[in-house]
Structure formats: structure tokens, C-alpha cells
């Protein structure tokens, strides 16, 4: 890849990274200030803060990997750095997806209107269970990411150094295939929380339809706060689902790059797409959360008049 192309791609990556850091840092800062001010934190704010922290970490890992690959490719020859990058990318990726799923479940339990005993029990217990659920997601993500470290042996690192050669040996192709398959299988586990978020979205639609029919019988043409809450929650969940699909496709592109002659270009393109998910979703969350939206307006007015 030409130096001009590398510079352009790096600038785009830096722009996406900056946008994501600002959005997620804003979410975390607003909720932390509110936590200190009121000496307690609401469940929704705890989820949003945990999600913001995981995505800031994910953004840093993706950008770091992108810059090392382009500017200092020899860093990966030692293997230790590659192990660290791969482990923390897998870890923060799982954390981000699981925390976003917790957010989808919380929206569903708080907003949906069902009268099944199990649903009512979960609705009643969700606030007290959120800290334990988030901690469980962290522990699960830490352990599920460990196979990535064990899969990087000396033979594989030697094959990485041959990534620009088209006539790779059969042994290198086998090692690359094994490493890629491990990473893909580990990230296929994120389809479980994705499925839970999808089910939550579909149940929100069902709840909204039932609520709309009841409201039409009582007051045709009116939109009550419950309807607005349903629509707002559905926007937040569907934005996560769509961005997750884009992120996962980008991850597959980056992983499959082990078998391409122009590895750096494929990885960078994949990582540019991957940066969109944690960067853009934070903006959706700010716009759909009343407290965050009002805080952003205050900051905007303050910057405008200074």
C-alpha cells in the first residue's frame, strides 16, 4: 500500500476513534458526576457507564493494532505484543456486546407490558441483579478470551512475517487457518447475546403493538409516554443490532486477511468498519437518553457562547 493511502486510512481511523472516545467518555462522565452528586447510581446509568468504558477500551485496542500494523509491523515478531493485542481485543469485544445486551434486556423489562409471572418477577428483581450480571459478564469474557493467547505459537508468528508473500508454505496455511478458526469460533459466541437482544427487540415490538391497540380503543390518535418509551428503546436496540452486524462482518474481513497477500489493507479496511460500531452507537444512546441529551445540549450551548 502506498504511503498516501496509509495516511488517508490512518486519518479516517483517527477521526472515528476521536468521535467514539468523545461520545463514550461523555456518557461515562455525565453518569459518574451524577453518581457523585446523588451518592447513588441508577441501574440504567451503571449499564451505560460500563458499556462506555468497555467501548473506550475496544476503540483503543483497535486503533493501536491498526497503527502497529502500518507503522511498526516488526513489533509483532516477538509474539508477546501480538498475544496482548489479540487477548484484549477479544475481551473488550465480548464485554461490549454483553453489556449492550444487558441494556437491551433492561429496556425490555422496564418498558414492555406483559403479565406473565416470570416476566413480572424479572421486572421486580432487575435493579438488584444488574451489578451481579455485569460482574458475571466481565468474568465470563475474561475466561472466554484465554484460548486466543494459547493459540499463538512460534510457528504462527513466523507465518505472520510471511504475510506479504503469495507462495506460503502449506504449514503456514495450516497455522493461519487454525488461528483464524479459533478467533471466529470465539466471536461466534457473541451471537448468543446478539440473539437475546434480537428477541428483546421483537418482544418490544409485540408489547408496543398490544399497547397501541389498547390506546386506540381508549383514545384514538393519542401518543402516551409509554408509547414514546417503547419507540425510544426500540431505536436504541435496533441501532445496536445493525451496527453489530456491520462490526462482525468487518471482523471476518480482518480475520480472513491472514490468507490475503495484501494483509495490511484488508485489516485496516476491516478495522475502519469495526470502529464505526462503538463510535456510532454511543451517539444513538446520547440522543435517546433524556439525561444525556439534555447534558449534551447544555455543553453545546456552553461551547457556543464561550
Amino acid at each position: 500500500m502506498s504511503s498516501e493511502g496509509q495516511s488517508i486510512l490512518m486519518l479516517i481511523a483517527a477521526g472515528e476513534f476521536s468521535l467514539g472516545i468523545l461520545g463514550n467518555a461523555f456518557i461515562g462522565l455525565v453518569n459518574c458526576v451524577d453518581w457523585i452528586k446523588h451518592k447513588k447510581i441508577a441501574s440504567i446509568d451503571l449499564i451505560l457507564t460500563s458499556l462506555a468504558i468497555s467501548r473506550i477500551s475496544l476503540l483503543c485496542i483497535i486503533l493501536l493494532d491498526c497503527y502497529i500494523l502500518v507503522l511498526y509491523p516488526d513489533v509483532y515478531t516477538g509474539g508477546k505484543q501480538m498475544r496482548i493485542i489479540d487477548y484484549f481485543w477479544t475481551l473488550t469485544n465480548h464485554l461490549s456486546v454483553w453489556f449492550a445486551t444487558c441494556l437491551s434486556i433492561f429496556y425490555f423489562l422496564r418498558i414492555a407490558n406483559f403479565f406473565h409471572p416470570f416476566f413480572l418477577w424479572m421486572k421486580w428483581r432487575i435493579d438488584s441483579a444488574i451489578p451481579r450480571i455485569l460482574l458475571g459478564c466481565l468474568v465470563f469474557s475474561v475466561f472466554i478470551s484465554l484460548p486466543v493467547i494459547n493459540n499463538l505459537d512460534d510457528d504462527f508468528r513466523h507465518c505472520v512475517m510471511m504475510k506479504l508473500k503469495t507462495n506460503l508454505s502449506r504449514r503456514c496455511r495450516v497455522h493461519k487457518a487454525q488461528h483464524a478458526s479459533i478467533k471466529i469460533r470465539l466471536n461466534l459466541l457473541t451471537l448468543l447475546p446478539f440473539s437475546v437482544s434480537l428477541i428483546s427487540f421483537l418482544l418490544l415490538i409485540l408489547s408496543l403493538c398490544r399497547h397501541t391497540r389498547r390506546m386506540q380503543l381508549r383514545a384514538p390518535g393519542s401518543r402516551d409516554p409509554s408509547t414514546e418509551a417503547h419507540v425510544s428503546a426500540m431505536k436504541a436496540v435496533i441501532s445496536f443490532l445493525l451496527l453489530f452486524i456491520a462490526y462482525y462482518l468487518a471482523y471476518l474481513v480482518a480475520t480472513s486477511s491472514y490468507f490475503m497477500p495484501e494483509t495490511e489493507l484488508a485489516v485496516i479496511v476491516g478495522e475502519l468498519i469495526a470502529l464505526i460500531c462503538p463510535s456510532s452507537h454511543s451517539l444513538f444512546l446520547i440522543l435517546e437518553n433524556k439525561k444525556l441529551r439534555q447534558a449534551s445540549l447544555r455543553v453545546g450551548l456552553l461551547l457556543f457562547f464561550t
Side-chain angles (χ1 to χ4, degrees):
M1 192 194 321
S2 65
S3 59
E4 293 80 5
Q6 289 181 353
S7 300
I8 293 173
L9 292 175
M10 289 298 98
L11 286 175
I12 295 174
E16 293 179 352
F17 171 81
S18 301
L19 181 65
I21 291 295
L22 287 175
N24 287 288
F26 178 80
I27 293 174
L29 181 61
V30 170
N31 289 327
C32 287
V33 169
D34 191 66
W35 188 0
I36 295 172
K37 182 179 179 181
H38 296 97
K39 301 296 188 294
K40 62 179 182 179
I41 184 169
S43 297
I44 182 66
D45 294 338
L46 181 59
I47 298 173
L48 288 172
T49 302
S50 302
L51 180 59
I53 293 173
S54 68
R55 285 182 166 169
I56 289 173
S57 303
L58 178 60
L59 286 166
C60 292
I61 291 296
I62 294 176
L63 188 70
L64 177 62
D65 184 61
C66 194
Y67 271 87
I68 289 177
L69 184 65
V70 173
L71 302 178
Y72 308 102
D74 292 337
V75 169
Y76 281 154
T77 56
K80 181 179 180 181
Q81 293 82 359
M82 193 173 187
R83 290 172 184 265
I84 294 173
I85 292 291
D86 262 14
Y87 176 76
F88 280 103
W89 189 341
T90 306
L91 170 62
T92 53
N93 178 39
H94 277 276
L95 276 178
S96 176
V97 175
W98 279 104
F99 287 163
T101 301
C102 291
L103 183 63
S104 302
I105 296 173
F106 184 85
Y107 280 141
F108 164 66
L109 292 176
R110 275 304 183 88
I111 296 172
N113 296 314
F114 295 102
F115 299 100
H116 192 278
F118 182 65
F119 173 81
L120 296 175
W121 179 81
M122 290 194 299
K123 192 181 186 75
W124 175 60
R125 293 292 303 273
I126 187 62
D127 281 318
S128 60
I130 284 297
R132 294 193 295 271
I133 292 174
L134 295 177
L135 180 60
C137 291
L138 174 60
V139 173
F140 176 78
S141 299
V142 168
F143 283 100
I144 204 64
S145 305
L146 291 176
V148 172
I149 297 179
N150 298 327
N151 194 47
L152 292 176
D153 55 17
D154 293 333
D155 287 335
F156 176 78
R157 292 193 295 271
H158 172 70
C159 292
V160 170
M161 292 303 99
M162 298 172 62
K163 59 193 172 184
L164 292 179
K165 299 184 182 299
T166 56
N167 55 342
L168 295 177
S169 67
R170 183 178 181 277
R171 188 179 68 174
C172 280
R173 290 188 180 276
V174 169
H175 279 287
K176 288 187 174 188
Q178 290 174 347
H179 180 66
S181 64
I182 286 289
K183 295 183 72 175
I184 291 175
R185 285 202 300 270
L186 287 175
N187 281 275
L188 279 175
L189 293 175
T190 57
L191 293 180
L192 173 60
F194 173 81
S195 301
V196 174
S197 295
L198 180 60
I199 293 171
S200 299
F201 175 72
L202 296 176
L203 289 174
L204 277 172
I205 293 178
L206 177 61
S207 176
L208 176 61
C209 292
R210 295 175 59 181
H211 178 75
T212 302
R213 284 198 298 268
R214 287 195 299 265
M215 290 302 300
Q216 286 176 346
L217 293 175
R218 297 176 185 176
S222 62
R223 291 193 68 175
D224 64 312
S226 180
T227 302
E228 299 290 345
H230 273 82
V231 174
S232 178
M234 287 166 57
K235 288 180 180 178
V237 177
I238 193 62
S239 63
F240 162 67
L241 294 175
L242 294 176
L243 289 170
F244 174 86
I245 294 173
Y247 175 86
Y248 200 81
L249 291 175
Y251 182 86
L252 291 178
V253 170
T255 303
S256 63
S257 67
Y258 294 127
F259 310 100
M260 301 177 184
E262 290 295 334
T263 303
E264 287 87 350
L265 179 59
V267 171
I268 294 171
V269 170
E271 292 182 351
L272 288 178
I273 301 173
L275 284 168
I276 295 175
C277 179
S279 300
S280 302
H281 193 230
S282 61
L283 301 181
F284 283 106
L285 294 177
I286 291 173
L287 293 175
E288 295 302 326
N289 185 284
K290 183 179 179 181
K291 182 177 71 174
L292 295 174
R293 185 171 63 251
Q294 291 176 346
S296 65
L297 290 175
R298 288 196 297 269
V299 172
L301 291 174
L302 181 64
L303 294 175
F304 180 79
F305 289 107
T306 54

